Amino acid sequence: MITTSEKVTAEDTLIRLIHKLEQTQSLSREEWTQLIRGRTPKATEYLFERAREIRIRHYGHDVYIRGLIEFTNYCKNDCYYCGIRKSNSNAQRYRLSKEDILSCCEQGYALGFRTFVLQGGEDKWFTDERLADIVASIRSGWKDCAITLSVGERSADSYQRLFDAGANRFLLRHETYDHEHYSRLHPDTLTAAHRQECLWNLKKIGYQVGTGFMVGSPYQTPELLADDMLFLKELDPQMVGIGPFIPHHDTPFAKEPAGTADLTLYMLGLIRLMLPKVLLPATTALGTIAPGGREKGILAGANVVMPNLSPASVREKYLLYDNKLCTGSEAAESLADLRRRMESIGYQVTVSRGDSLNM
């Protein structure tokens, strides 16, 4: 049984580690593991206070919005956690046409979006030629906007061609750094090494790079989360997107327990201290798993939200996990509601490209 004095000492150690992280932006694997495994309510609140102060120091109270366009749910991969995996015969597949995508951009620009995020499964139909043509058309039509791609693993030549066509940013979550853990979440055709190589290629080309990981995925341990943090420190990306693992009923992990909002928020705060100038979204998954999850994410140090610009007719078909938010403040047309939500906690949605300061 832990005595009161021992508990105080353990909590003091956590706060000392949080203070060290704020001062040095660096911890050892053992320190990360201790900080993640031992979290307490008191240490968590202290962490959030420090994360908010650092976030406000660099980004003020602004919340950047990204217009998310989920343009295809076809995917050649079979990741064990994903609802649009190729083996899911129950998925209702769709692809948006170029005209559909440009229409989303037109509507989004009128609403105040200055960043468009094209996200999709790894769909072979969208060749380099087709995707580069779409990117070039967006760049031609909305020159003051940032174009972000989230289309998975491609060759360095493919990334270069899309960059040359006008893409500025690329999101590719590494999901988990540890190679063995990665192999337990993915089929043999996918490797952690190749995914990480893609991220380094993206940085080399000149993209503003975003990566991230699932929190509470099957077989995850505090040691594995520590490895994720060390990888983020090494990669030094411009954006980090994390969210809780949420099972999908048509996947091998259907009966696995979901990750928690509490640990996800805690990891958000730790990332803000480690990478003070990084862009940090309060993700859809966080809003899905907890009431007010987006607001809680902002209060834990996040500064980005991604409302959905996809046509209403396809939003419920892009289901990576169960019960995904598709309407309400998640939808772009409810931007006024999102503004009110952010204002209720002392922040404001801003019309801006919202480039990362972590350059």
Side-chain angles (χ1 to χ4, degrees), residues 35-86:
L35 190 53
I36 294 166
R37 175 174 279 120
R39 64 190 171 93
T40 64
K42 181 179 177 182
T44 299
E45 189 50 46
Y46 176 70
L47 169 65
F48 291 166
E49 288 174 5
R50 300 315 308 143
R52 281 195 295 272
E53 197 281 328
I54 291 167
R55 174 249 202 269
I56 292 167
R57 182 189 310 163
H58 295 295
Y59 289 102
H61 290 81
D62 288 345
V63 176
Y64 298 135
I65 53 172
R66 307 331 196 178
L68 183 62
I69 304 170
E70 296 163 335
F71 68 98
T72 175
N73 72 346
Y74 283 88
C75 191
K76 65 183 179 64
N77 294 330
D78 227 5
C79 304
Y80 302 150
Y81 49 83
C82 184
I84 64 170
R85 63 197 305 262
K86 70 175 181 180

Side-chain angles (χ1 to χ4, degrees), residues 161-338:
R161 183 167 181 180
L162 297 172
F163 184 80
D164 293 342
N168 311 94
R169 305 169 181 162
F170 203 103
L171 309 182
L172 183 68
R173 297 207 316 188
H174 68 274
E175 302 298 5
T176 178
Y177 174 77
D178 183 82
H179 294 229
E180 182 180 348
H181 186 217
Y182 193 92
S183 71
R184 301 182 77 177
L185 305 179
H186 303 86
D188 292 342
T189 52
L190 301 172
T191 67
H194 185 260
R195 200 163 186 89
Q196 291 160 26
E197 180 186 1
C198 287
L199 285 164
W200 289 112
N201 286 338
L202 289 162
K203 283 207 78 173
K204 192 181 304 181
I205 289 167
Y207 282 95
Q208 295 178 39
V209 174
T211 192
F213 51 87
M214 286 183 290
V215 178
S217 60
Y219 318 115
Q220 191 179 69
T221 64
E223 288 81 4
L224 295 178
L225 282 171
D227 290 335
D228 286 320
M229 298 301 279
L230 292 170
F231 176 64
L232 290 181
K233 182 65 177 177
E234 179 187 8
L235 183 68
D236 196 26
Q238 283 68 57
M239 194 192 92
V240 178
I242 68 169
F245 163 72
I246 304 176
H248 186 287
H249 62 279
D250 283 326
T251 69
F253 289 158
K255 298 190 182 303
E256 293 290 334
T260 66
D262 286 348
L263 181 55
T264 303
L265 292 167
Y266 189 74
M267 298 306 298
L268 279 174
L270 293 176
I271 292 168
R272 174 58 68 200
L273 264 61
M274 181 179 69
L275 299 171
K277 296 181 180 180
V278 81
L279 293 172
L280 200 55
T283 60
T284 303
L286 185 56
T288 297
I289 205 168
R294 309 295 279 280
E295 292 93 323
K296 291 175 182 176
I298 297 297
L299 292 172
N303 64 333
V304 174
V305 291
M306 293 186 175
N308 203 323
L309 280 177
S310 308
S313 60
V314 303
R315 285 181 195 158
E316 294 186 0
K317 298 176 183 177
Y318 197 86
L319 288 182
L320 308 183
Y321 47 81
D322 286 344
N323 303 314
K324 176 188 166 191
L325 292 180
C326 300
T327 57
S329 61
E330 173 57 25
E333 57 269 23
S334 297
L335 206 51
D337 179 55
L338 179 62

